[in-house]
């Protein structure tokens, strides 16, 4: 038994050291990239791209299932985007609340028979509607089939060469689309790009525009602000630089339509349809030996609401982990396969070892403690030193993400917000991290048990004008 | 082992504290710098405006912040004004040494610095000051620099940049919308060079030249574009078709009607749209036929074109059985949009 404890502790320590060195490497890489990006922003020809008739038009797809509370604001934010030519296609995925009625009323929708392509099979379409007020707004009403199915319906209805997938409760900044399109405009081999997701809880939003950036009142949501900064400004920037970006958030991502169609559209059999699509695009293009790039752009902002209660957050994290497991399992044959480049040799092995199995190893670490204590082989000094080190290291990563935010975008103009975030960066390793680990572990169990579906989400809507409305996200 | 862990934890705590302190210091100094810049900008704004309006007294600068504020003001006004006022902007930029400094920066080691200098020269300099240096930058290895140089050459009206710009666009080394916008700014003066390039050996150059002729919109170039409709490359044909639609010269109608029979669907779609733009109602029957029988992309374009040309007829057609989904959509939209 003592031997087992030794092996377990050695595994946990090696794992801890490797993982944190990798995180540190990503932080340094992200630092370099963000400094480069910040400098380039001043000479970025955004105005010329906006005025040029050669800028590719974009179809924005917004799948909505029971998004009555926030969908009108989201669509408003899309209609105000600064982009030369685009259409907005809202796909009402068989909502049972007032989503469609709210859209009808806000945008003066009337039924129009729309010619839809049938390249990808979807649940039946009930009706297509067109806005009298905004001649670039369509609504496709369909039977419920889940988010991926709704996005596929949007793909069939879209008519422009690029699609931008946006969540039903997301609010895009006015320049977000043009900025996320910049890598595509600049280089035709870029087939997909994603922008940064920031947390809208606590921000002032007026008619689909963030008018004042604030911090959430809820402690849980504030912890997520730090977490999102770490994930996007370190993780996504780093992986993008290495050519191994596996996730473009479903809340805001642009894809070349023809490539998505070639690859078969969104996969309906997973809750991680955003990651699954990106991994499939990597594989598809590598198998065809086509030059391509999938990029993350740290500047264009999509604001979204995050859960403020443990139950909803826990469900979300379990679902994310299940989605990750489903995607990695589905594409396991790409790991270590010749010709798969950074996907098969770097990104996927990393995601399996550290993102998928991370919760298992971390939990093993926590398990070792009572076992070792029971066996009388626990060194209290050692345990304390290791715990302190892991917390301090975690804090270093969080505070570095804050520093990255400060040198690059400074989205939080008030100094006290930064001070508050710094404080949360200190404490997010004390409890929140362990809780996240537990949720991820349960997500892994859900995957092993073959669980399907999305679970219940509680959303208040970004304008905070109404009480929370509990809803079912998708069947 | 315990000692190693303890030392590591203590070291990392120090690093954390250092980053925390740096964060505070960075924010404070940055805030102070931004405030000083904003104050200087407001203070110097009237003097800069007066200079642009013809005042003989240049704005005084007493420190580096003033210099940056003047540069920023000149850049924003330089983008907005033309003619004599634009010349005054360039004069002041030259007098204060900004142009010389930026031309020097075009040789900087870091790409972002070269790009920034190239970008600012477009706002501040005159053609004589910077065109040659910017032309050389079109071959820069950094795409940010080529894009910024193209933009500036367009703003400065440097006609000699037409050929390198088109070649840069065709090779993919130059960002398409930026290069195209620059060529549009150069306007009719770019047309002669572009017509020459319609016969270039490279397919990409021919395609780009055709597209750009359409963007410049010179009616006198219709014949040359019609000739290109017979090009072996569908990419060239589609761009020439689009260009003819943009120019909107009705003398292209017959050639565009022939293009409706092109073997490539995208070319047929472009021809349908172009016929709507030139206002050729004679092609209505042919467009309806395509809308009802062709593949999605060309059928869709043909239905919209037919609805644009003869809306009442499309509405009537759509009421009949088997009108086809594209004509139905077009007719429904006519009801809504009018």
């Amino acid at each position: 038994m003592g031997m087992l404890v030794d092996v377990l502790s050695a595994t946990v320590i090696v794992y801890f050291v490797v993982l944190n060195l990798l995180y540190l490497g990503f932080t340094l890489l992200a630092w370099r990239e963000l400094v480069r990006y910040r400098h380039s922003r001043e000479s970025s020809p955004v105005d010329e791209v906006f005025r040029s008739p050669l800028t590719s038009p974009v179809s924005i797809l917004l799948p909505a299932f029971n998004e009555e509370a926030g969908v009108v604001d989201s669509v408003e934010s899309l209609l105000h985007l600064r982009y030369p030519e685009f259409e907005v296609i809202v796909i009402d995925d068989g909502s049972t609340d007032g989503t469609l009625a709210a859209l009808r009323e806000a945008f003066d929708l009337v039924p129009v028979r729309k010619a839809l392509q049938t390249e990808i099979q979807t649940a039946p379409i009930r009706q297509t509607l067109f806005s009298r007020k905004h001649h670039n707004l369509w609504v496709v009403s369909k039977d419920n089939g889940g988010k991926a199915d709704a996005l596929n319906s949007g793909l069939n209805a879209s008519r422009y060469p690029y699609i931008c997938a946006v969540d039903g409760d997301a609010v895009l900044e006015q320049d977000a689309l043009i900025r996320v399109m910049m890598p595509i405009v600049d280089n035709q081999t870029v087939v997909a790009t994603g922008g940064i997701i920031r947390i809208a809880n606590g921000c002032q939003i007026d008619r689909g525009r963030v008018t004042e950036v604030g911090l959430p009142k809820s402690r849980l949501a504030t912890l997520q602000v730090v977490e999102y900064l770490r994930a996007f400004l370190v993780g996504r920037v780093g992986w993008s630089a290495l050519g191994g970006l596996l996730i473009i958030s479903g809340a805001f991502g642009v894809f070349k339509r023809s490539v998505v169609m070639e690859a078969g559209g969104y996969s309906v059999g997973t809750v991680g349809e955003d990651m699954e699509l990106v991994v499939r695009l990597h594989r598809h293009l590598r198998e065809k030996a086509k030059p391509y790039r999938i990029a993350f752009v740290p500047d264009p902002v999509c604001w979204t609401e995050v859960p403020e209660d443990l139950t909803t957050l826990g469900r979300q994290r379990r679902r994310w982990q299940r989605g990750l497991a489903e995607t990695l399992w589905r594409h396991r044959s790409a790991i270590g396969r010749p010709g798969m480049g950074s996907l098969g040799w770097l990104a996927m092995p990393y995601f399996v070892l550290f993102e998928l199995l991370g919760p298992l190893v971390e939990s093993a670490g926590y398990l070792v403690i009572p076992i070792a204590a029971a066996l009388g082989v626990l060194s209290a000094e050692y345990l304390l030193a290791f715990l302190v080190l892991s917390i301090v290291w975690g804090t270093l990563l969080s505070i570095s993400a804050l520093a990255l935010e400060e040198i690059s975008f400074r989205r939080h103009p008030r100094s006290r917000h930064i001070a508050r975030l710094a404080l949360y960066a200190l404490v997010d390793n004390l409890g929140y991290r362990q809780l996240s680990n537990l949720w991820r572990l349960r997500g892994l169990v859900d995957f092993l048990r073959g669980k399907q579906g999305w679970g219940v989400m509680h959303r208040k809507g970004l304008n905070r004008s109404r009480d929370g409305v509990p809803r079912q996200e998708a069947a | 082992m315990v000692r190693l862990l303890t030392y590591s934890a203590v070291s990392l705590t120090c690093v954390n504290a250092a980053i925390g302190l740096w964060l505070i210091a960075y924010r404070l100094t940055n805030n102070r710098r931004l405030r000083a810049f904003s104050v200087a900008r407001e203070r110097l704004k009237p003097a800069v405006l007066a200079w642009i309006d013809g005042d003989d007294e240049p704005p005084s600068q007493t420190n580096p912040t003033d210099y940056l504020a003047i540069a920023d003001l000149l850049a924003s006004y330089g983008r907005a004004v033309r003619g004599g006022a634009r010349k005054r902007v360039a004069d002041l930029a030259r007098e204060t040494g900004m142009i010389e400094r930026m031309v020097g920066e075009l040789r900087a080691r870091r790409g972002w610095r070269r790009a920034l200098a190239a970008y600012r020269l477009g706002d501040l300099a005159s053609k004589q000051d910077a065109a040659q240096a910017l032309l050389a930058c079109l071959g820069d290895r950094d795409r940010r620099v080529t894009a910024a140089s193209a933009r500036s050459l367009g703003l400065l009206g440097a006609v000699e940049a037409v050929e390198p710009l088109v070649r840069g666009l065709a090779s993919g080394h130059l960002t398409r919308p930026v290069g195209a916008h620059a060529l549009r700014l150069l306007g009719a003066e770019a047309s002669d060079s572009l017509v020459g390039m319609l016969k270039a050996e490279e397919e990409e150059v021919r395609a780009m030249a055709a597209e750009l002729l359409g963007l410049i919109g010179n009616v006198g170039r219709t014949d040359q574009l019609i000739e290109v409709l017979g090009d072996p490359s569908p990419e060239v044909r589609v761009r020439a078709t689009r260009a003819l639609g943009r120019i909107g010269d009705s003398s292209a109608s017959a050639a565009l009607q022939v293009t409706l029979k092109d073997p490539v669907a995208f070319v047929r779609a472009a021809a349908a749209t172009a016929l709507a733009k030139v206002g050729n109602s004679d092609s209505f029957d042919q467009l309806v036929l395509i809308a009802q029988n062709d593949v999605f992309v060309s059928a869709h374009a043909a239905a919209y074109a037919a609805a644009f040309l003869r809306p009442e007829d499309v509405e009537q057609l759509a009421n009949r059985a088997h009108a086809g989904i594209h004509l139905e959509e077009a007719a429904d939209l006519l009801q809504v949009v009018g």
Side-chain angles (χ1 to χ4, degrees), chain A residues 22-74:
Chain A
L22 280 172
Y23 281 157
L24 194 63
F26 277 122
T27 306
L28 295 174
L29 192 59
W31 188 284
R32 196 194 69 171
E33 290 296 309
L34 287 173
V35 168
R36 258 173 70 102
Y37 185 81
R38 186 188 66 172
H39 288 315
S40 304
R41 213 169 26 168
E42 277 186 74
S43 61
S44 178
V46 171
D47 288 338
E48 284 68 27
V49 170
F50 176 68
R51 286 191 210 120
S52 174
L54 291 194
T55 301
S56 297
V58 178
S59 298
I60 302 172
L61 313 182
L62 187 137
F65 178 79
N66 291 354
E67 297 283 1
E68 184 186 1
V71 74
V72 172
D73 266 353
S74 295

Side-chain angles (χ1 to χ4, degrees), chain B residues 51-130:
Chain B
W51 167 269
I52 293 172
D53 282 343
D55 198 347
D56 288 338
E57 191 65 37
S60 65
Q61 41 172 319
T62 52
N63 55 49
T65 309
D66 285 358
Y67 178 85
L68 291 175
I70 293 174
D72 188 62
L73 284 163
L74 284 179
S76 50
Y77 294 129
R79 247 169 265 157
V81 297
R82 293 284 173 269
R86 182 71 173 74
K87 187 177 171 301
R88 296 283 293 170
V89 168
D91 288 346
L92 184 56
R94 200 179 307 111
E95 268 184 38
T96 48
M98 283 173 197
I99 291 178
E100 195 184 346
R101 196 170 151 181
M102 276 181 274
V103 170
E105 281 280 287
L106 291 176
R107 291 188 294 275
R109 195 172 63 84
R110 293 186 187 280
W112 69 265
R113 288 180 66 169
R114 297 198 300 278
L116 189 56
Y119 188 90
R120 291 218 171 128
L121 280 169
D123 296 334
L124 295 175
S126 68
K127 187 178 157 186
Q128 291 74 18
D129 291 325

Side-chain angles (χ1 to χ4, degrees), chain B residues 121-189:
Chain B
L121 280 169
D123 296 334
L124 295 175
S126 68
K127 187 178 157 186
Q128 291 74 18
D129 291 325
Q132 282 311 312
L134 289 168
L135 266 172
C137 287
L138 284 179
D140 197 286
R141 64 185 180 280
D142 192 320
R143 293 175 67 90
R144 293 172 298 181
V145 183
T146 54
S149 305
R151 168 195 179 268
S152 294
L153 284 163
L155 285 171
L156 298 179
V159 190
E160 57 271 40
V162 173
E163 186 153 354
L165 283 174
V166 176
R167 293 208 170 269
L169 285 169
S171 68
H173 189 55
L174 183 57
T175 308
R176 280 182 67 210
V178 179
H181 184 69
L183 282 160
R184 270 178 100 189
L185 291 177
L186 295 173
E189 291 179 66

Side-chain angles (χ1 to χ4, degrees), chain A residues 185-459:
Chain A
V185 161
D186 189 44
N187 183 349
Q188 297 288 308
T189 62
V190 177
V191 296
T193 57
I196 189 168
I197 311 298
R198 287 179 185 266
I199 291 172
N201 306 46
C203 296
Q204 293 288 321
I205 295 173
D206 181 32
R207 290 175 59 82
R209 291 185 199 197
V210 173
T211 51
E212 194 186 329
V213 176
L215 280 185
K217 283 186 185 133
S218 145
R219 290 194 188 96
L220 196 59
T222 313
L223 282 166
Q224 291 173 75
V225 174
V226 179
E227 189 185 19
Y228 272 51
L229 286 178
R230 216 170 41 216
F232 283 93
L233 293 184
V234 178
R236 301 276 166 99
V237 171
W239 278 116
S240 179
L242 292 173
L245 186 67
L246 294 196
I247 307 173
I248 285 179
S249 172
F252 181 35
V254 171
F255 298 88
K256 191 170 186 172
R257 184 179 182 275
S258 57
V259 178
V260 177
M261 286 297 206
E262 255 176 51
Y266 284 87
S267 168
V268 288
T270 173
V271 286
E273 80 296 325
D274 45 3
M275 180 182 186
E276 200 283 332
L277 177 66
V278 177
V279 175
R280 191 147 38 87
L281 289 182
H282 272 292
R283 281 190 73 171
H284 175 75
L285 293 162
R286 282 189 179 277
E287 276 161 8
K288 296 216 157 192
K290 284 188 182 167
Y292 77 97
R293 231 190 109 212
I294 293 176
F296 174 73
V297 197
D299 191 10
V301 177
C302 169
W303 296 92
T304 190
E305 185 189 10
V306 296
E308 292 188 348
D309 64 281
L310 286 172
T311 316
T312 315
L313 182 63
R315 272 199 205 111
Q316 184 195 55
R317 297 309 161 94
R318 280 170 70 176
R319 199 180 65 233
W320 286 2
Q321 190 70 9
R322 183 154 50 92
L324 171 79
E326 283 168 355
T327 301
L328 293 174
W329 179 250
R330 193 175 285 194
H331 295 282
R332 62 192 181 280
S333 62
I335 298 173
R337 208 174 96 191
M340 285 292 131
S342 57
L343 172 76
W345 294 94
L346 201 64
M348 287 199 54
Y350 168 88
F351 272 82
V352 171
L353 280 175
F354 298 110
E355 298 293 337
L356 183 71
L357 301 178
L360 266 181
V361 179
E362 202 170 322
S363 304
Y366 297 127
L367 263 180
V368 166
I369 298 168
I371 297 173
L375 292 174
V377 292
L378 178 74
S379 156
E381 271 184 342
Y382 172 82
L383 175 67
L384 188 68
F386 186 76
L387 275 179
V388 170
L389 179 64
S390 66
I391 288 165
V392 172
W393 198 304
T395 307
L396 173 70
L397 297 172
S398 297
I399 210 150
S400 302
L402 263 186
L404 286 176
E405 161 73 356
E406 190 63 14
I407 60 151
S408 51
F409 305 114
R410 291 177 52 122
R411 284 295 172 140
H412 296 276
R414 292 189 188 162
S415 298
R416 67 186 165 89
H417 286 172
I418 288 292
R420 195 168 155 219
L421 288 175
L423 191 69
Y424 276 81
L426 290 176
V427 298
D428 79 339
N429 286 284
L430 297 167
Y432 181 68
R433 181 193 168 134
Q434 290 73 19
L435 208 52
S436 295
N437 189 61
L438 184 69
W439 289 326
R440 289 167 63 198
L441 196 62
R442 290 182 67 185
L444 203 54
V445 174
D446 289 344
F447 164 70
L448 293 171
R449 291 170 62 189
K451 188 178 171 181
Q452 298 287 316
W454 282 60
V456 180
M457 279 289 285
H458 296 265
R459 285 205 185 116

Side-chain angles (χ1 to χ4, degrees), chain A residues 117-183:
Chain A
Q117 303 204 48
T118 49
E119 282 172 65
I120 302 174
Q121 290 299 309
T122 66
I125 305 295
R126 294 173 184 168
Q127 194 181 25
T128 49
L129 301 112
F130 184 73
S131 168
R132 277 188 217 267
K133 276 163 82 174
H134 303 277
H135 292 168
N136 59 343
L137 173 62
W138 287 90
V139 173
V140 175
S141 168
K142 65 182 277 289
D143 287 354
N144 182 260
K147 188 177 171 186
D149 190 68
L151 284 164
N152 284 335
S153 302
L155 266 169
N156 283 338
S158 63
R159 63 189 177 110
Y160 290 142
Y162 289 91
I163 56 143
C164 173
V166 178
D167 263 359
D169 63 337
V171 167
L172 294 193
E173 286 197 344
Q174 218 182 357
D175 265 354
L177 185 59
I178 204 162
R179 288 199 180 275
V180 84
M181 281 294 288
M182 286 306 277

Side-chain angles (χ1 to χ4, degrees), chain B residues 85 116 194 197-198 252 273 280 298-299:
Chain B
L116 189 56
L194 290 172
M197 279 183 256
L198 288 175
T273 308
N280 180 272
S298 37

Side-chain angles (χ1 to χ4, degrees), chain B residues 5 16-17 20 34 40 42 45 61 70-71 82 98-99 111 118 124 162 196 224 249 270 277 304 315 317 330:
Chain B
L5 292 176
N16 280 343
L34 289 174
E42 283 309 304
K45 200 172 174 178
Q61 41 172 319
I70 293 174
R82 293 284 173 269
M98 283 173 197
I99 291 178
L124 295 175
V162 173
Q224 285 94 335
D249 182 358
K277 287 185 177 170
Y304 272 55
E315 282 181 45
L317 273 172

